Amino acid sequence: DMKVTQMPRYLIKRMGENVLLECGQDMSHETMYWYRQDPGLGLQLIYISYDVDSNSEGDIPKGYRVSRKKREHFSLILDSAKTNQTSVYFCASRDTSNTEVFFGKGTRLTVV
Amino acid sequence: QQKVQQSPESLTVSEGAMASLNCTFSDGTSDNFRWYRQHSGKGLEVLVSIFSDGEKEEGRFTAHLNRASLHVSLHIREPQPSDSAVYLCAMRTQVVGQLTFGSGTRLQVYA
């Protein structure tokens, strides 16, 4: 069963704390993505990873960094979280020989 | 930067009536357009993925693409209350596999 798994699903953090969002996929997809979704803005691309240690900024990378040490895992890191980073974060993966993109169920992050 | 505009922002229809959602994009260089459905608090479910001008049907969902008018639409035949959700259109951009999303249309179907 092909899937993208995000952990945790819900997270509350204080401003200034570090945040780690994890994403795993069991399809050996090369390309993975992190998006955030905010009301009225749709999904915005934060980072793309083309494979292990091959990452590229998306449209809104500021305040975020990523880590991809294994093809199956792609982490999003917020160093010193800010209240405007409260959002729903989606991870996705794609096989470059296929057009289909698979999304995780999202992580709802609240920064207070 | 590629832009995707969706309309309407919200739509209410009765069960069984046709629901039509629209999406316009900033240029026609994308090779793929798709519609997603997102139930409240859930992830994204792809409904239709279309590559060529014309029509693509997947069950009760039909997408129409017209690159010349920079427009893609989604028509939902015989919508049901369970179709109540946010519908997102997306286009695949020049960057490998990158999807650019519209802001969504909230559809409410009442019995």
Side-chain angles (χ1 to χ4, degrees), chain A residues 33 37 40 50 90 94 99, chain B residues 34 38 92 95 97-98 103:
Chain A
Y33 312 83
Q37 184 180 31
Y50 297 107
F90 284 96
R94 175 177 170 265
T99 61
Chain B
R34 52 191 73 187
Q38 185 180 29
R92 193 168 74 156
V95 177
Q98 178 183 343
S103 56

Side-chain angles (χ1 to χ4, degrees), chain B residues 19-60:
Chain B
S20 296
L21 290 66
N22 299 291
C23 200
T24 57
F25 37 94
S26 57
D27 69 66
T29 57
S30 174
D31 65 344
N32 178 238
F33 301 83
R34 52 191 73 187
W35 285 94
Y36 289 88
R37 179 171 65 183
Q38 185 180 29
H39 286 106
S40 181
K42 304 295 184 182
L44 294 159
E45 173 192 5
V46 62
L47 299 173
V48 185
S49 180
I50 185 167
F51 291 85
S52 307
D53 278 355
E55 179 179 299
K56 176 86 177 289
E57 182 177 316
E58 297 284 358
R60 295 182 296 108

Side-chain angles (χ1 to χ4, degrees), chain A residues 33-102:
Chain A
Y33 312 83
W34 275 107
Y35 290 87
R36 64 177 281 176
Q37 184 180 31
D38 300 290
L41 293 178
L43 275 79
Q44 300 175 85
L45 180 66
I46 306 171
Y47 265 95
I48 304 174
S49 174
Y50 297 107
D51 211 329
V52 171
D53 285 329
S54 179
N55 306 318
S56 181
E57 294 181 347
D59 297 324
I60 52 163
K62 187 177 179 182
Y64 304 94
R65 60 184 176 93
V66 292
S67 175
R68 186 128 180 244
K69 297 301 181 185
K70 292 184 180 180
R71 180 174 280 188
E72 310 84 62
H73 292 122
F74 189 33
S75 301
L76 180 69
I77 301 135
L78 289 67
D79 295 313
S80 186
K82 300 173 181 54
T83 55
N84 62 9
Q85 292 179 307
T86 292
S87 188
V88 180
Y89 291 86
F90 284 96
C91 173
S93 74
R94 175 177 170 265
D95 183 341
T96 50
S97 64
N98 193 328
T99 61
E100 192 50 63
V101 178
F102 295 83

